[in-house]
């Protein structure tokens, strides 16, 4: 027969059991505090939050912010599925749910339908959480409609600007603080005889004759320092140009020099011809023996 445990051994086992019970209670208390903290954050946080069953897409829970955002009462949202608010086909939603279910954290951009029928662009951050052995998705939703509209407006502005730069009848330019060309209208290719991708980023010394480049840089630096609009006349490759330059201040550290150049060669020739004709007429008037 095995030896009976001694009193000391029994006492040690009791202490071990008591310590295990204490550790279990502490773990349960920590878990309870963690759950209470999560519930408090879920309920009262200003961000829209949903708890979703990734298998069926059912909304298990929604916080107060979600009810305010979507326009449905919480109990109504808890009877809905993501298919009811997400503007995607059932197959697309199934694919997104599968992606979220098999990943720890995922990020999506969707379009969601509100109770009043309006559509909002949203950014969704989802992470997998476990409760009682079941996996759920905790999704935090941000309204990015204003950002999307701003991005669209920016794309449209850039497209308009790009089209204008490609088809402008006058020469348009933008230079940085180092007096390097950063944006140029396409007609500079004809002026300089080089494609734009070989011109952009170059200094004036790399694009124009030395004396003209020095004058350009001196004018440009003066304009950047004084912050004034200036118009100058320049000559290049036998052509005359009138250039108006002005600074564009983004912030104290970011200043661009912008401007436009007009070919005034024909006007200068016409003015020279007019002066020549006036001089000739004056000579005739003075030499005429009788009144003219």
């Amino acid at each position: 027969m095995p030896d009976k445990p001694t009193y000391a051994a029994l006492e040690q086992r009791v202490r071990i059991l008591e310590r295990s019970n204490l550790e279990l209670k502490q773990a349960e208390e920590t878990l309870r505090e963690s759950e209470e903290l999560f519930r408090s954050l879920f309920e009262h946080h200003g961000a829209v939050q949903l708890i979703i069953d990734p298998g069926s897409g059912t909304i298990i829970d929604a916080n107060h912010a979600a009810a305010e955002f979507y326009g449905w009462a919480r109990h109504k949202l808890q009877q809905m599925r993501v298919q009811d608010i997400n503007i995607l086909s059932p197959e697309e939603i199934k694919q997104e749910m599968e992606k979220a279910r098999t990943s720890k954290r995922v990020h999506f951009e969707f379009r969601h339908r509100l109770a009043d029928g309006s559509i909002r662009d949203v950014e969704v951050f989802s992470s997998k959480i476990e409760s009682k052995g079941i996996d759920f998705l905790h999704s935090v939703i941000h309204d990015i409609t204003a950002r999307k509209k701003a991005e669209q407006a920016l794309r449209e502005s850039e497209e308009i600007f790009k089209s204008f730069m490609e088809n402008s009848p006058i020469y348009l330019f933008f230079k940085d603080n180092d007096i390097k060309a950063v944006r140029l209208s396409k007609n500079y290719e004809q002026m300089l005889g080089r494609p734009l991708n070989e011109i952009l980023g170059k200094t004036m010394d790399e694009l124009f004759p030395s004396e003209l480049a020095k004058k350009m840089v001196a004018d440009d630096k003066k304009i950047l320092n004084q912050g004034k609009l200036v118009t100058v006349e320049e000559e290049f490759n036998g052509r005359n140009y009138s250039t108006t330059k002005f600074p564009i201040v983004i912030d104290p550290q970011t200043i661009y020099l912008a401007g436009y150049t007009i070919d005034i060669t024909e006007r200068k020739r016409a003015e020279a011809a007019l002066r020549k004709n006036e001089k000739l007429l004056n000579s005739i008037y003075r030499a005429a023996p009788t009144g003219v």
Side-chain angles (χ1 to χ4, degrees), residues 6 13 18 60 77 86 104 171 218 231 233 235 243 280:
T6 64
R13 290 182 184 179
E18 288 177 343
I60 304 301
L77 280 170
N86 211 336
K104 287 186 177 181
Y171 301 90
T231 298
E233 289 193 6
E235 186 176 344
T243 300
L280 177 61

Side-chain angles (χ1 to χ4, degrees), residues 198-266:
E198 293 182 8
I199 301 172
L200 296 177
K202 296 292 193 297
T203 64
M204 298 306 99
D205 282 319
E206 295 173 304
L207 299 175
F208 298 98
S210 179
E211 288 302 315
L212 177 58
K214 288 180 182 178
K215 183 179 183 303
M216 283 182 172
V217 171
D219 290 339
D220 292 348
K221 288 183 176 180
K222 184 177 179 181
I223 293 167
L224 289 175
N225 290 331
Q226 296 182 354
K228 296 180 180 179
L229 182 148
V230 174
T231 298
V232 298
E233 289 193 6
E234 298 159 334
E235 186 176 344
F236 175 62
N237 280 349
R239 309 288 296 180
N240 299 100
Y241 299 95
S242 174
T243 300
T244 298
K245 310 179 184 183
F246 50 90
I248 297 179
V249 181
I250 306 301
D251 56 57
Q253 286 72 43
T254 309
I255 303 176
Y256 290 95
L257 181 78
Y260 55 90
T261 296
I262 301 173
D263 189 331
I264 58 171
T265 305
E266 301 309 320

